[in-house]
């Protein structure tokens, strides 16, 4: 029987790599510290002239091709990003024009690192309701523009990239359950202080580096483990499954220690956790999008497998999607 599922997947990673060794020349850090504390070896840096939409376009084109569709077949584009090309128009509108998806509506969502998961859940509602047939969901981020390259506690963590999927009616790769949530009381833990209506851009905000992301790393760490495990458990239970029946957990790639703690909390062995953090660092909403596309491309998922995508991010937002491959 047909129900909402994943029709196609794609991703784009900039070619330029920034290794931990390169970072040693920029801030007071070491490859050893970054590897042991985060699990990150290198991250990708988008070309200067590339914005979130340019990376999103590449990921979108490969997902559309993978689904065997044409841009005109797309009914809706949802872009998850915290690094939009500009405040408005939405990055989704810019991508719609660039790929020639002339029949689609388009809008952005901001759920930070959980954005791609929230995007899939949103897309499913439109497909289930019968309003739209093919929804393109993109997670695209140029995080390296938001980091203060003199702050060693954050600049080592992030990278650039984009991933995309098409959600539509399908006999395979069906979305069997989901859960999304938020704890707004944690909104101060991870934020970009200036440039919005609260603190508009002034010479002062630029001088005080308020256009770079700020993070209470330790607090975020503790909450991340709890909310990711909770979100995944809720979605898995809603699907009528047990954690032990999950074949592959694809988590937001924030920190290897967070991911291992989540695995432990869920009683999952390490080999059931998909990891690419070593190569890309944290790409915010693009992390789960790229990880899902790579897990599929690397044949880490077999037909009939149960896959759980799980993420957390600024907000604090959190969510999980269970897919039967
Ligand atoms: N190199 C060397 N030393 C460093 C570095 C670095 N890059 N960064 C911090 N340190 C130092 C600190 O200054 C501190 O030194 P001190 O003891 O002399 O004061 C020491 O290392 C320990 O610092 P902690 O902050 O306690 O280190 P911790 O083990 O907590 O790791 C980290 C920091 C990696 C940021 C961790 O807290 C973390 O991963 N937190 C979660 C981050 C995360 O997942 N963010 C999600 C963002 S996604 C989104 O929604 C946009």
């Amino acid at each position: 029987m047909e129900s909402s599922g994943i029709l196609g997947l794609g991703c784009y990673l900039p070619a330029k790599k920034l290794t931990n060794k390169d970072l040693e020349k920029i801030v007071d850090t070491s490859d050893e510290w970054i590897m042991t504390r985060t699990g990150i070896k290198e991250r990708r840096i988008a070309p200067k002239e590339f914005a979130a939409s340019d990376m999103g376009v590449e990921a979108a084109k490969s997902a559309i091709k993978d689904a065997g569709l044409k841009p005109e077949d797309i009914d809706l584009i949802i872009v998850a990003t915290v690094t939009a090309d500009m405040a408005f128009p939405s990055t989704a509108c810019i991508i719609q024009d660039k790929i020639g998806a002339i029949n689609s509506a388009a809008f952005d969502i901001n759920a930070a690192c959980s954005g791609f998961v929230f995007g899939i859940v949103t897309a499913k509602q439109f497909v289930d309701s019968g309003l739209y047939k093919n929804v393109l969901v993109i997670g695209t981020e140029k995080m390296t523009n938001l980091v203060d390259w003199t702050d060693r506690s954050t600049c080592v963590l992030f990278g650039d990239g984009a991933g995309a999927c098409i959600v539509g009616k399908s006999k395979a790769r069906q979305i069997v359950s989901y859960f999304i949530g938020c704890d707004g009381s944690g909104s101060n833990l991870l934020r970009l202080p200036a440039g919005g209506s609260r603190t508009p851009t002034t010479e002062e905000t630029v001088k005080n580096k308020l256009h770079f992301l700020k993070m209470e790393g330790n607090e975020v760490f503790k909450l991340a483990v709890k909310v990711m495990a909770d979100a995944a458990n809720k979605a898995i239970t809603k699907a009528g499954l047990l954690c032990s029946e999950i074949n592959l957990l694809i988590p937001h790639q924030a920190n290897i220690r967070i991911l291992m703690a989540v695995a432990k909390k869920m009683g999952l062995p390490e080999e059931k956790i998909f990891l690419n953090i070593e190569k890309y660092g944290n790409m915010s909403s693009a992390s789960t999008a790229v990880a899902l596309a790579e897990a599929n491309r690397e044949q880490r998922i077999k037909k009939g497998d149960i896959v759980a995508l799980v993420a957390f991010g600024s907000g604090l937002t959190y969510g999980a999607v269970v897919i039967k491959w």
Side-chain angles (χ1 to χ4, degrees), residues 29 33 37 113 152 190 215 217-218 254-255 257 282 312-314:
T29 191
W33 192 96
R37 307 307 287 172
C113 304
R152 67 176 183 175
L190 192 43
M215 180 173 70
N218 287 320
N255 181 316
R257 292 184 294 139
N282 180 347
F312 80 97
S314 167

Side-chain angles (χ1 to χ4, degrees), residues 149-222:
W149 290 100
T150 64
D151 175 10
R152 67 176 183 175
S153 68
T154 52
C155 76
V156 302
L157 302 174
F158 297 94
D160 302 331
C165 75
I166 313 285
V167 176
K169 287 267 189 271
S170 168
K171 284 188 179 142
R173 305 200 281 191
Q174 292 182 339
I175 300 160
V176 292
S177 73
Y178 57 86
F179 170 81
I180 54 173
C182 164
D183 176 3
S185 70
S187 58
N188 60 325
L189 297 177
L190 192 43
R191 67 200 192 287
L192 190 81
S197 56
R198 174 71 56 204
T199 312
T201 310
T202 60
E203 271 181 43
E204 203 67 12
T205 61
V206 174
K207 205 166 75 201
N208 292 330
K209 299 188 169 188
L210 298 181
H211 297 273
F212 294 126
L213 69 84
K214 312 282 176 209
M215 180 173 70
E216 310 298 330
N218 287 320
E219 280 305 301
V220 174
F221 192 111
K222 280 180 258 165

Side-chain angles (χ1 to χ4, degrees), residues 19-309:
T19 66
N20 292 347
K21 287 279 173 207
D22 297 328
L23 278 168
E24 284 177 2
K25 294 174 207 146
I26 303 173
V27 284
D28 180 16
T29 191
S30 66
D31 176 40
E32 201 258 332
W33 192 96
I34 302 172
M35 264 312 272
T36 52
R37 307 307 287 172
T38 73
I40 302 165
K41 190 93 196 151
E42 57 192 34
R43 65 290 292 141
R44 300 297 175 95
I45 311 283
K48 220 180 172 80
E49 69 279 10
F50 253 46
S53 70
D54 301 300
M55 291 188 284
V57 161
E58 298 307 319
K61 282 183 185 166
S62 70
I64 292 169
K65 190 171 171 214
D66 188 48
L69 296 172
K70 295 188 291 299
E72 309 87 272
D73 300 325
I74 302 299
D75 304 302
L76 172 65
I77 301 172
I78 300 172
V79 172
T81 187
V82 294
T83 53
D85 288 24
M86 53 194 99
F88 61 89
S90 72
T91 300
C93 289
I94 297 168
I95 292 177
Q96 187 242 28
D97 179 48
K98 285 183 178 166
I99 65 174
I102 49 173
N103 299 312
S104 77
F107 59 84
D108 286 3
I109 58 170
N110 177 347
C113 304
S114 310
F116 187 67
V117 167
F118 277 53
I120 290 179
V121 173
T122 308
K124 178 174 162 56
Q125 313 310 312
F126 282 106
V127 173
D128 285 352
S129 71
L131 188 62
Y132 293 132
K133 215 168 145 209
N134 301 310
V135 181
L136 169 61
V137 184
I138 303 167
T140 181
E141 302 283 13
K142 194 173 183 186
M143 294 305 289
T144 58
N145 271 3
L146 295 193
V147 296
D148 174 358
W149 290 100
T150 64
D151 175 10
R152 67 176 183 175
S153 68
T154 52
C155 76
V156 302
L157 302 174
F158 297 94
D160 302 331
C165 75
I166 313 285
V167 176
K169 287 267 189 271
S170 168
K171 284 188 179 142
R173 305 200 281 191
Q174 292 182 339
I175 300 160
V176 292
S177 73
Y178 57 86
F179 170 81
I180 54 173
C182 164
D183 176 3
S185 70
S187 58
N188 60 325
L189 297 177
L190 192 43
R191 67 200 192 287
L192 190 81
S197 56
R198 174 71 56 204
T199 312
T201 310
T202 60
E203 271 181 43
E204 203 67 12
T205 61
V206 174
K207 205 166 75 201
N208 292 330
K209 299 188 169 188
L210 298 181
H211 297 273
F212 294 126
L213 69 84
K214 312 282 176 209
M215 180 173 70
E216 310 298 330
N218 287 320
E219 280 305 301
V220 174
F221 192 111
K222 280 180 258 165
L223 286 168
V225 175
K226 183 182 176 317
V227 298
M228 282 224 278
D230 283 355
N233 278 326
K234 282 194 173 116
I236 291 163
T237 306
K238 207 167 136 194
L241 297 165
L242 299 169
C243 279
S244 54
E245 292 174 275
I246 298 299
N247 299 97
L248 192 65
L249 184 79
I250 304 182
H252 170 49
Q253 310 281 311
N255 181 316
I256 189 93
R257 292 184 294 139
I258 294 177
L259 306 189
M260 287 307 126
V262 170
K264 194 171 165 203
K265 220 165 183 261
M266 294 177 68
L268 290 173
E270 211 178 308
E271 60 272 16
K272 283 193 175 184
I273 317 297
F274 184 81
L275 298 172
N276 61 10
I277 188 168
E278 187 169 333
K279 296 187 287 181
Y280 308 130
N282 180 347
M283 298 181 287
S284 187
S285 70
S287 269
T288 40
V290 169
L292 183 63
E294 280 201 339
N296 180 54
R297 197 177 60 207
E298 292 167 11
Q299 299 180 339
R300 286 286 303 275
I301 318 171
K302 298 186 300 297
K303 193 170 164 34
D305 275 0
I306 306 288
V307 175
L309 269 188

